Amino acid sequence: MSDVPEIDLTDPEVLRDPFTAYSPARERSPIAKLVAPGFALWAVLRHDEARKMLSDPRFALSPASYPPMDIPEHCRPYMRSMQVVEGAEHHRLRRLVTPAFTPRKAAALRPGIERLADGLLDGLAGRSEIDLVTDFARPLPIDVICALVGIPEADRPRWREYGIMVSAGDGPGLAKAVPEIVEGSLAAIATRKLDPAEDVVSQLLQIQAEDGDRLSETELVSLVWQLVLGGQVPGNLIANAVEVLLSHPDQLAALREDPALMPGAVEELMRWCSPQLLTVPRITTTDVKIGDVLIPEGEPVTVAIAAANRDPKAFGDPDVFDIRRAAGPAWHLAFAHGPHFCLGASLARVQTEVALTALLRRFPDLALADGPLRIPDPGTWRLNALPVKLHATVAN
């Protein structure tokens, strides 16, 4: 234990720049102890060990992986989502929704996402300065996922509010909204029972009608809210990406000159400024060794994505932001790895590509305005505000 580095999550330098702050500990050890007042957990820092941990069934997600929420008793059954179960139960639920989130499906959704992005940008006509977070980055993903899942248009404004709570890290607000979230999920299901469409809820209802043993009503409600709220995550990535590009003018100029670089640029942005700094903690189901460190059964273990994505053993010149970075044997862990690899990864990639392409096309002089507002959070790298100057008339 004495050789295990300790990282104070309240340290201002860790909060200001976790990507750099984790480096000394990563060079010393594959694992560290993250500490804060009344709080401690293990963190895997290196890329190879992180991939192995995320695929190892001895590290399991469970309700204990998440902070307890004070919610009404009648809502608790709906909180048993795909993210808190493992093994056969997780595989069964994931297999039911995977067809809606394949790379091919995401590619097919691109024209619709482009229309949504253009609509949001059309609404900025006549403005010289906006908050990119609230005016574009957050609304786009929630509108996309609501349409994909099957949330009726009349109900989407309130789901936008729930999405803002998630992206802003408003845990108490989200807990208070849980009854409404459950109610909204039930309403979406009721609507699609009467009026089926080409969306995920309708597809799941068809599966349920064909074989009720594959998906219970409670599981269906859980899937609806999890997919919709999980689908807002690209908002943080889009905002982070714009800040990074505007802070690296040479890379931005290269991307403007050659839009074909966009897919690779998005991968590099996910490596460089992933919104998730730490994965949801897994709980050890037995004593486990990582390197020379023995972790007892029942301990929480996370992956420090911010550290693993800058591991020099996995990436050449990891502290250089390079949109032309060649794909190598290592892959970033922005979407985690293993059985709980982010279901919406392909959709997030397409949304980010579309969002950045639309912004750069519409606003050739896009620039940072006042300083961005980043709320210190050891688990999530997110902006609560990103003032930008448009310096261009909104036009197609």
Side-chain angles (χ1 to χ4, degrees):
M1 278 295 297
S2 60
D3 293 332
V4 176
E6 198 169 271
I7 297 172
D8 181 359
L9 293 179
T10 66
D11 183 334
E13 286 305 303
V14 173
L15 295 170
R16 186 187 65 82
D17 182 4
F19 308 97
T20 301
Y22 280 110
S23 295
R26 184 188 57 229
E27 299 314 303
R28 282 179 54 196
S29 169
I31 194 164
K33 204 69 179 288
L34 306 185
V35 297
F39 171 87
L41 79 163
W42 302 92
V44 184
L45 306 178
R46 295 179 184 168
H47 189 275
D48 185 55
E49 286 85 348
R51 282 174 58 92
K52 289 175 180 175
M53 187 278 267
L54 292 170
S55 299
D56 189 332
R58 295 176 298 174
F59 300 88
L61 287 170
S62 76
S65 300
Y66 298 86
M69 287 201 299
D70 183 17
I71 60 174
E73 196 61 35
H74 77 276
C75 293
R76 293 196 178 279
Y78 302 114
M79 297 298 102
R80 185 177 170 80
S81 71
M82 191 166 55
Q83 278 296 93
V84 302
V85 297
E86 292 284 10
E89 186 177 6
H90 174 261
H91 180 67
R92 171 178 59 85
L93 292 172
R94 188 176 178 105
R95 188 171 56 191
L96 294 175
V97 293
T98 292
F101 293 91
T102 62
R104 179 178 295 181
K105 178 68 174 179
L109 292 171
R110 185 182 289 266
I113 298 171
E114 290 173 340
R115 287 192 294 273
L116 287 171
D118 285 339
L120 286 168
L121 295 179
D122 287 342
L124 306 178
R127 296 174 60 182
S128 61
E129 184 173 322
I130 64 166
D131 176 1
L132 191 98
V133 172
T134 57
D135 290 324
F136 184 67
R138 282 181 183 166
L140 178 62
I142 201 71
D143 287 355
V144 170
I145 197 66
C146 280
L148 175 62
V149 172
I151 300 298
E153 284 196 34
D155 293 340
R156 291 177 191 177
R158 65 171 174 168
W159 283 97
R160 265 196 187 188
E161 295 303 313
Y162 307 147
I164 289 171
M165 292 175 188
V166 174
S167 60
D170 183 5
L174 193 63
K176 188 176 179 181
V178 162
E180 294 180 14
I181 291 169
V182 170
E183 177 187 304
S185 301
L186 288 165
I189 293 166
T191 297
R192 286 297 173 247
K193 282 182 177 178
L194 296 174
D195 185 21
E198 294 294 323
D199 53 45
V200 175
V201 173
S202 299
Q203 293 166 12
L204 292 175
L205 284 169
Q206 182 64 33
I207 290 169
Q208 193 181 53
E210 293 171 355
D211 183 357
D213 291 337
R214 294 176 66 194
L215 184 66
S216 71
E217 193 76 10
T218 300
E219 289 172 335
L220 178 55
V221 173
S222 298
L223 281 173
V224 170
W225 73 254
Q226 184 189 349
L227 292 174
V228 176
L229 294 186
Q232 59 71 43
V233 171
N236 285 329
L237 175 59
I238 292 166
N240 286 346
V242 172
E243 183 197 24
V244 169
L245 287 171
L246 293 179
S247 302
H248 291 78
D250 58 329
Q251 299 292 300
L252 177 59
L255 188 56
R256 285 190 182 280
E257 186 176 338
D258 185 2
L261 293 173
M262 184 62 78
V266 168
E267 296 304 320
E268 175 69 346
L269 285 160
M270 287 187 290
R271 184 192 74 85
W272 184 261
C273 59
S274 166
Q276 289 305 117
L277 299 173
L278 305 171
T279 62
V280 176
R282 272 70 171 165
I283 310 301
T284 50
T285 59
T286 185
D287 293 354
V288 188
K289 284 190 85 171
I290 297 180
D292 295 328
V293 180
L294 180 67
I295 302 175
E297 178 182 349
E299 292 278 298
V301 186
T302 185
V303 165
I305 295 174
N309 278 351
R310 303 283 182 96
D311 185 350
K313 294 182 178 178
F315 305 97
D317 295 322
D319 294 319
V320 173
F321 174 64
D322 181 8
I323 64 171
R324 293 188 175 90
R325 182 178 295 275
W331 199 246
H332 65 74
L333 298 178
F335 296 121
H337 182 67
H340 287 273
F341 178 80
C342 177
L343 183 68
S346 295
L347 185 60
R349 287 183 167 104
V350 170
Q351 286 184 80
T352 306
E353 289 178 22
V354 168
L356 296 179
T357 299
L359 279 167
L360 298 186
R361 184 185 75 244
R362 295 280 193 118
F363 307 115
D365 301 312
L366 188 70
L368 292 172
D370 296 329
L373 175 61
R374 193 175 291 282
I375 302 300
D377 182 340
T380 308
W381 190 245
R382 61 166 172 260
L383 289 156
N384 270 11
L386 182 62
V388 295
K389 298 175 183 177
L390 303 181
H391 292 312
T393 302
V394 177
N396 290 316

